[in-house]
């Protein structure tokens, strides 16, 4: 028997590449590898950083500012991540708990 489809968690906003900074992060306890696509910028940046959410946020803002400089308005930053360590989520939750609530850009 098929389960009914649940749309309650579906995104109701279309993904618009022209104004979305798209970022993927490969996370480990020692370092994070961050890559992205910046609207209006030909290069696809990659940066290895320490596991620090403030440094990550600064990097995302810098990439957003690059898009703004070439005339693109960034209205959304989409982030996907992958972890390599089974206990990573517990360690990250402890580290990020001091960072406060999620932030919106704008």
């Amino acid at each position: 028997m098929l389960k009914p489809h649940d749309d309650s968690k579906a995104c109701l906003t279309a993904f618009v590449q022209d104004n979305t900074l798209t970022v993927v992060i490969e996370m480990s306890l020692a370092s994070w590898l961050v890559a992205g696509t910046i609207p209006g910028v030909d290069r696809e940046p990659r940066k290895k950083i320490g596991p620090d959410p403030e440094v990550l946020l600064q990097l995302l803002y810098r990439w957003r500012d690059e898009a703004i400089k070439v005339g693109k308005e960034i209205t959304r930053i989409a982030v996907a991540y992958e972890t390599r360590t089974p206990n990573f989520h517990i360690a990250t939750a402890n580290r990020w708990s001091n960072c406060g609530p999620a932030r919106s850009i704008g």
Side-chain angles (χ1 to χ4, degrees), residues 18-19 38-41 64 66-74:
D18 206 39
N19 63 8
I38 304 173
V41 177
R64 179 196 61 184
E66 285 184 41
I68 292 170
K69 283 181 185 176
V70 296
K72 298 293 183 179
E73 179 186 5
I74 300 299

Side-chain angles (χ1 to χ4, degrees), residues 24 60 84-85 99 103 106:
V24 293
L60 298 182
R84 292 190 246 161
T85 308
C99 295
R103 298 179 183 119

Side-chain angles (χ1 to χ4, degrees), residues 7-8 10 13 21 36 48 52 62-63 72-73 76 78 81 87 96:
D7 283 336
S8 65
T13 306
L21 175 60
K48 188 173 186 176
D52 184 341
R62 190 176 85 219
W63 288 354
K72 298 293 183 179
E73 179 186 5
R76 186 181 339 183
Y81 69 93
N87 295 328
W96 282 44

